Structures are given as structure tokens and as C-alpha cells.
Amino acid sequence: MVFLRSTGPHDPVDRLWVLDLDTGAERLVADPAQLLAAAPAVPPAQERAARERQRLVTAGIGGYALDCAGAVAAFTLAGRLFRADLRQGDVVEVPVAGPAVDARPDPTGAHIAYVSGRALHVVDAAGGDTLLAGEPDPAVSWGSAEFVAAEEFGRHRGYWWSPDGTSMLAARVDESRVPRWHLHDPSEPQNPPTVLAYPPAGAPNAEVTLHLLDLDGGWVDVHWDRETYPYLVAAGWAAGGGPAAGTGRGPSPCGGPLITVLRRLQQHGLVLAVDPRTGETQVHAELADPRWVEPVAGTPLHLPDGRVLVGGELSHDGYDARCLFADGTLLTPPSLYVRRV
């Protein structure tokens, strides 16, 4: 088992550990103090913002991602990228093009993707860094979640590896229409204010599109009715890359990506299956509620038998609950209110 923990109740710094379930022995894999001893650094603004949105109050390693075998872990620390061999215990720093956040190895462990600024990069085992997607327009970003997705829907990522590690599903975010807010720190009056693209009620939202990007340069656009369903709530692949909410736990025999999209009033949404060859989508399930739809975190998700797990409201026959369905069949009793999978 791989986990984060500090050394005790008075230590606010999280480290990366491995627990051997057979022997019960714990092994320290990565200690931020040792990794940054030679060149201490201040976390970049992008990392600080991500920690704030995820409500992380500790220092040190804020998160990590694994390959499918659980042999390789990738994480960022103060804008630097690290790769940990969990079997041997070796941790090496991987050169990056700029301050890195949200590092994730592909399911095979051969490549590591990361976001730097507004661009999406991939680095191979030999250290070769490839700019997979990026644009000079400062209002456009690749591989990151826009403010609404991260703060309101809990989607903190903007790219998802395919099960074979040869391509990925990536979000492109255009915030050119979104109003700018200027946030000033009164404790540091000499510093200029921070400019934030924030859509208040009724203002234009960021324009979010999805694309299937091959490591060899191939490109397929994902199509759905974005005018009617502008919110991308969840996305991900059915196997290897993890379930649609981005909290993968291993391989599955199923196929392409699943995405969840919502209307702006959030009273109706769709779970869509994406054809990775063409980018066309097909409705797999509908989410509806006369008040608002709040998808169950961790869904949609492919089950090992091929069915798709979807969470939603059940408001009939005297019941008012959030339940789980598999291909339309109710799985959980209406008396159970499901919050996450």
C-alpha cells in the first residue's frame, strides 16, 4: 500500500511511504527535506492554487500518481518532477521544461505527463521532453481544470492517459470570454494584485473542449453538444487510466473514455461514451433532477463485467436519495444516500 503521512502529530510535512501488507513493514520512499536539501525552492503559484483548491493544509508531497502495476510513482515538489521506483526505493528527479504540477505516469510506467504553465508535456524514460499541447495565447490552457471544474465540481485534473499509454484525453480551456477579477493581498501592499479568470453568476464561462492526443502526433476532437452541456464534470478511460472521476484503482477489460456533462442550470446531464477513433459520443445514461444534478464522485465507472456504474438521484415512490445504477439497474437501496465511490 502506498500512502502519504508525516512523521508525527507535530510534523506538517507529508512524505511518501510504502507498507508491505505481508510483513507489516513500512518503508520511507521520498522525504521532501532530502529531495530539496541541495536546492530549496518555493512552490510555484500554480501549485499553491492547486493545494488551496484541494484544501491541503500540510506541506511536503501533496499528491502522487501510480502506474497500473503500482511500481512507479510520480509527484511534483516545489515545481520539480520526481519519479519513484516503489520496488527498489530509488527516487530520481526528472528534468522539466518549467515549473511542473499534476504529474502522472502512463499505465505502463514508460512516460510521465505533467502540466507546466498552460501547456501539457510528456517526458520519456530517457528524459526526452515533448510539448504535447500548448498555445501562445495566455487565455488558453491545456491539461488543467478551469476554476468552475476544480472549485465547484471537484475535478482537479485536465488530462487522462489511455490504458496502453500511447495517447491521452486532454482538456483545452479557453478563458478569453471570462471576466477578470483582481485579488490584492493587504498584507503585501507592495505586490501587484493577482488576476483571476472568474465567472460570476450569469457571466460567460470558460470554453472547455476535449481532444484525444497520440504521442506520435495524432489528434481527434471529441464531439458533444457543448452549447447545451457546457460543464465537463468528469472524464476518464475505462481501463488502466482509471475511472472517469480520475481516481483509478487498476485495469478493466472495457474500452474507451466516459465523460459526464451538465447543463448550466445543472438540472440535466449526460453520461457519454466516447469512440476513441472518431471522437463521436453516444449517450449512455441521463442525469436529471428538478432542483439540481450533483453527480456522485467516482462515477461513471466501468465495472469488471462491462457494465457502467452511474450515480444519481432517485426521487419517486416516496424516496429521495442518491443511489448507484449499473446500466440502468438500481444497485443500492433507496435508504442509502451515496456520497462517493
Side-chain angles (χ1 to χ4, degrees):
M1 184 174 70
V2 188
F3 63 98
L4 296 175
R5 192 192 63 205
S6 69
T7 58
H10 302 291
D11 179 10
V13 179
D14 276 343
R15 296 158 175 82
L16 184 65
W17 301 76
V18 169
L19 170 67
D20 188 314
L21 298 181
D22 292 329
T23 65
E26 291 182 357
R27 174 165 49 89
L28 176 61
V29 176
D31 184 345
Q34 296 178 0
L35 296 176
L36 300 179
V42 176
Q46 200 170 7
E47 180 178 331
R48 296 197 300 270
R51 285 176 174 268
E52 180 181 345
R53 288 177 179 175
Q54 297 177 47
R55 308 301 189 260
L56 296 179
V57 297
T58 58
I61 302 173
Y64 62 92
L66 305 176
D67 65 345
C68 237
V72 174
F75 60 91
T76 59
L77 196 59
R80 295 157 62 181
L81 172 60
F82 295 90
R83 181 186 187 276
D85 185 328
L86 299 181
R87 291 171 178 164
Q88 302 297 325
D90 299 328
V91 181
V92 296
E93 183 172 358
V94 180
V96 291
V101 296
D102 195 21
R104 299 178 183 272
D106 76 79
T108 70
H111 300 84
I112 297 177
Y114 68 92
V115 174
S116 182
R118 294 182 170 268
L120 180 59
H121 293 254
V122 173
V123 60
D124 58 28
D129 194 302
T130 300
L131 174 63
L132 192 63
E135 300 179 36
D137 188 343
V140 175
S141 64
W142 281 87
S144 299
E146 76 279 14
F147 181 89
V148 168
E151 189 66 31
E152 309 300 343
F153 295 123
R155 177 174 65 81
H156 298 286
R157 59 187 299 191
Y159 71 91
W160 301 264
W161 280 105
S162 65
D164 60 6
T166 63
S167 63
M168 67 174 63
L169 185 68
R172 178 186 183 270
V173 176
D174 184 349
E175 296 178 319
S176 57
R177 302 183 306 166
V178 181
R180 266 45 177 184
W181 289 47
H182 297 76
L183 306 181
H184 194 76
D185 183 358
S187 67
E188 300 289 344
Q190 73 277 11
N191 293 338
T194 299
V195 180
L196 174 68
Y198 175 76
N205 278 312
E207 182 179 356
V208 181
T209 57
L210 276 177
H211 310 270
L212 292 153
L213 309 179
D214 293 336
L215 297 188
D216 60 5
W219 181 307
V220 175
D221 298 328
V222 177
H223 304 284
W224 80 91
D225 185 357
R226 292 188 292 105
E227 290 296 324
T228 305
Y229 300 95
Y231 289 142
L232 176 66
V233 178
W237 293 76
T247 53
R249 291 298 181 267
S252 164
C254 307
L258 292 170
I259 65 174
T260 301
V261 294
L262 283 180
R263 291 176 180 263
R264 182 159 188 174
L265 290 182
Q266 294 177 234
Q267 294 169 322
H268 192 267
L270 300 175
V271 176
L272 303 174
V274 180
D275 186 333
R277 298 166 301 173
T278 65
E280 298 300 324
T281 56
Q282 182 176 3
V283 177
H284 185 86
E286 293 190 43
L287 306 173
D289 189 276
R291 293 153 299 189
W292 73 82
V293 170
E294 186 178 355
V296 174
T299 66
L301 171 66
H302 273 286
L303 298 176
D305 61 8
R307 294 180 298 167
V308 174
L309 187 70
V310 176
E313 284 73 18
L314 180 65
S315 302
H316 61 82
D317 295 333
Y319 292 108
D320 188 6
R322 302 180 73 206
C323 301
L324 296 178
F325 303 83
D327 285 355
T329 301
L330 182 64
L331 293 185
T332 57
S335 59
L336 183 66
Y337 191 95
V338 179
R339 292 200 63 182
R340 65 173 56 245
V341 175

